[in-house]
Amino acid sequence: MEKSSSLKLFGSWASSYTHRVQLALKLKNIQFEYIEEDLSNKSEALLQSNPIYKKVPVLVHDDRPLVESVIILQYVDEVWNNRPILPTDPYERAVVRFWCHFADDKLGPAVGVVFASSGDVQKAAVDQVHENLALIERELREGYFKGRKFFGGDSIGLLDIVLGCGSYWLAVFEEVMTGVKLVDPEAFPLFHAWLREFEALDEVKETIPAVDKLLEYAKAVRAMLLGHCMGNTGVIETATPATAAASATTTASVPDITVDSS
């Protein structure tokens, strides 16, 4: 395993954003110290490393902190150029960055609303998830990534990491919420096939927590959310799964079950 001088990762076990960084470091065979954060009682080290957003993940390289998972991934790829996760072609790099932004700006937030709502609001959010998945499906069918096993080609790249670390929650949410179907293999065959290929990778299996653990966590969080009053919009007023799970007071719309991540 490649030495990385001083490298620390502050994260949370259920955070798909943390998993992104863990997976990239694993793919590049880089040693690092992992520090699990209690998001209901954040460490002083985390708050000092990320004083603006106060979230995980934070990567500290030689005492210099980096925040925001996609920024961290690009930094890692520039510093350790073995097993690159970004393409060399400038146009393809731009396309990859666009779809990474789409995942965090469109798809993720819609999934978050599905989990943190019910009734008509949830139905509208499910429709939004399907619309977003249809756009990705079209890109796989006839767009820039047509004919590829992964978005990165024969091996996973930045976009695979960003989309894949989080997509496993889709199946978990379907188990937790009766009657909700987010990924239909018939409606999104290429996306479904890509996700199965991604989840079958050894490095991914070593990074993503066991499904039963995720399911138990999601059920508990969902139960907490449903125990709170709902506003007129149909969205649970405590707003985010992780806020209820950690008994915190922060309210936000997030693309992850863990609010304190980026």
Side-chain angles (χ1 to χ4, degrees), residues 166-184:
S167 291
Y168 53 83
W169 280 117
L170 298 176
V172 172
F173 288 175
E174 289 177 350
E175 287 287 328
V176 172
M177 296 175 290
T178 304
V180 172
K181 186 67 176 177
L182 296 176
V183 182
D184 185 343

Side-chain angles (χ1 to χ4, degrees), residues 110-171:
V111 174
V113 174
V114 171
F115 189 83
S117 63
S118 63
D120 291 341
V121 172
Q122 185 183 70
K123 183 180 183 301
V126 170
D127 291 341
Q128 186 63 58
V129 170
H130 290 166
E131 290 176 12
N132 291 330
L133 289 178
L135 293 173
I136 297 174
E137 182 74 16
R138 186 179 67 183
E139 188 69 12
L140 287 168
R141 184 178 63 252
E142 57 191 55
Y144 195 87
F145 306 104
K146 178 181 177 180
R148 294 188 179 188
K149 180 179 181 180
F150 297 108
F151 291 99
D154 292 332
S155 59
I156 64 173
L158 179 67
L159 182 53
D160 296 282
I161 294 171
V162 169
L163 268 177
C165 292
S167 291
Y168 53 83
W169 280 117
L170 298 176

Side-chain angles (χ1 to χ4, degrees), residues 31-91:
Q31 289 182 329
F32 64 98
E33 177 186 355
Y34 177 71
I35 300 168
E36 176 71 18
E37 280 290 328
D38 178 356
L39 300 182
S40 66
N41 183 27
K42 299 169 188 175
S43 70
E44 190 62 30
L46 173 66
L47 298 177
Q48 289 179 357
S49 297
N50 191 0
I52 297 176
Y53 292 110
K54 301 178 176 64
K55 300 187 298 184
V56 298
V58 175
L59 186 71
V60 181
H61 184 206
D62 290 337
D63 298 322
R64 297 180 298 180
L66 296 119
V67 302
E68 301 296 314
S69 63
V70 175
I71 293 174
I72 294 172
L73 292 176
Q74 294 181 74
Y75 174 84
V76 167
D77 202 46
E78 292 174 359
V79 173
W80 294 278
N81 55 18
N82 64 307
R83 178 55 180 86
I85 58 175
L86 269 167
T88 57
D89 178 72
Y91 179 76

Side-chain angles (χ1 to χ4, degrees), residues 1-12 17-36 57-62 72 76 80 203 206-207:
M1 188 168 279
E2 183 175 328
K3 294 224 174 191
S4 57
S5 54
S6 174
L7 195 63
K8 297 179 181 179
L9 175 62
F10 294 85
S12 172
Y17 300 102
T18 297
H19 300 154
R20 292 175 177 180
V21 181
Q22 289 175 313
L23 178 55
L25 294 173
K26 188 178 294 291
L27 288 169
K28 289 177 174 287
N29 204 31
I30 298 170
Q31 289 182 329
F32 64 98
E33 177 186 355
Y34 177 71
I35 300 168
E36 176 71 18
V58 175
L59 186 71
V60 181
H61 184 206
D62 290 337
I72 294 172
V76 167
W80 294 278
E203 294 90 348
E206 294 168 3
T207 301

